[in-house]
Amino acid sequence: MNWIILIIAGIFEVAFASCLGKAKLATGTAVYSWYAGFIIFLAISMLLLMKATQTLPIGTAYTVWTGIGAVGTVLVGIIVFKDPVTFWRIFFITTLVGSILGLKLVTSH
């Protein structure tokens, strides 16, 4: 169950990072809405990460959480913000996903 909580925490990490990107593009009072979303999603992500680390090793949990955030944010950047798609970006995202899965496989919880 804590792995599911950790994955959800990672998704909220993607959400708070994406809010920063949208805030950068927004104008007027919409900027404050994106920053409010950032704060809300950040708080949710941190609370879920804290919950997951009650039973998962902190090193593994933090690495998986950051990896989900990194991969997810790159994918949001490509899909939403039209960031460039190159062979090397895809290659390194793939190796990061492989490393995250490897950590999960070797963790004994």
Side-chain angles (χ1 to χ4, degrees), residues 8-85:
I8 295 168
I11 292 168
F12 276 101
E13 183 187 5
V14 174
F16 77 70
S18 299
C19 285
L20 288 177
K22 293 298 268 184
K24 183 175 75 170
L25 300 174
T27 58
T29 58
V31 172
Y32 300 113
S33 297
W34 288 111
Y35 285 137
F38 166 78
I39 291 169
I40 292 165
F41 292 141
L42 174 67
I44 294 169
S45 183
M46 290 296 154
L47 289 170
L48 292 172
L49 178 62
M50 281 184 350
K51 175 70 176 155
T53 59
Q54 290 176 351
T55 58
L56 297 174
I58 185 68
T60 301
Y62 183 75
T63 303
V64 170
W65 176 77
T66 350
I68 292 169
V71 170
T73 303
V74 168
L75 293 176
V76 167
I78 290 169
I79 295 165
V80 175
F81 298 107
K82 307 301 182 214
D83 289 349
V85 180

Side-chain angles (χ1 to χ4, degrees), residues 3 6-7 60-61 63-68 71 92-109:
W3 282 104
L6 184 61
I7 290 167
T60 301
T63 303
V64 170
W65 176 77
T66 350
I68 292 169
V71 170
F92 287 117
I93 290 170
T94 304
T95 59
L96 183 55
V97 169
S99 297
I100 293 167
L101 292 174
L103 274 174
K104 185 189 182 316
L105 290 174
V106 299
T107 300
S108 62
H109 280 78

